[in-house]
Amino acid sequence: MMVQLDKFHRYSRGGVLKQYRKLRYIRENKMYFLYLIFDSGTCVYVGETSNIFWRIIKHKDKCSAESVIYLQEYQDKEEVLRLEKHYIRKLKPKFNNRYCQAGQLELFRY
């Protein structure tokens, strides 16, 4: 399934950690990140976070050194949650499988 990714920044796992290293010590970030993890050309996970540095650290099982991470920053949390839901519905990533079953996405308020 084709998805427009041209508005996203493209990184490797190491690239995200290097670019956003400054977030290591930030507890309250006013920016929100939508990220899509691709492995071998297939989306394996869609998520949102306010601290992409720590989230990618925690995603060792979903994100290898060969993975490609598409990332976009937003100021509006509701917009990020809406987009996360949209991309999960569209891409059906294997690590979001609990949300891809019929009726599950309706549990999201956004």
Side-chain angles (χ1 to χ4, degrees):
M1 176 154 310
M2 290 299 294
V3 173
Q4 294 284 40
L5 296 173
D6 55 335
K7 293 181 182 176
F8 286 79
H9 299 280
R10 181 183 166 141
Y11 295 97
S12 65
R13 182 176 190 276
V16 170
L17 297 177
K18 184 177 179 181
Q19 178 70 26
Y20 293 96
R21 173 178 272 150
K22 66 183 181 272
L23 294 179
R24 282 182 302 185
Y25 306 111
I26 303 291
R27 287 185 182 217
E28 304 262 339
N29 188 16
K30 301 291 186 218
M31 293 299 295
Y32 302 94
F33 299 89
L34 175 68
Y35 61 98
L36 295 76
I37 301 173
F38 280 76
D39 192 31
S40 301
T42 301
C43 186
V44 295
Y45 191 79
V46 173
E48 62 82 23
T49 184
S50 62
N51 194 316
I52 193 65
F53 180 86
W54 287 114
R55 197 66 182 127
I56 295 302
I57 291 283
K58 291 178 182 179
H59 276 321
K60 284 186 178 180
D61 59 331
K62 297 176 183 84
C63 185
S64 70
E66 293 78 34
S67 295
V68 175
I69 301 166
Y70 290 92
L71 181 66
Q72 187 65 294
E73 292 183 48
Y74 297 89
Q75 293 181 339
D76 182 357
K77 183 163 177 105
E78 288 188 24
E79 181 180 10
V80 169
L81 291 171
R82 183 182 54 76
L83 289 168
E84 178 189 29
K85 179 179 171 180
H86 167 78
Y87 282 107
I88 291 171
R89 276 188 174 149
K90 192 164 186 115
L91 297 169
K92 298 186 180 3
K94 73 178 182 178
F95 290 120
N96 294 104
N97 61 0
R98 66 183 174 159
Y99 298 119
C100 292
Q101 299 167 19
Q104 288 293 309
L105 282 167
E106 283 62 37
L107 297 174
F108 285 130
R109 293 191 63 195
Y110 303 100

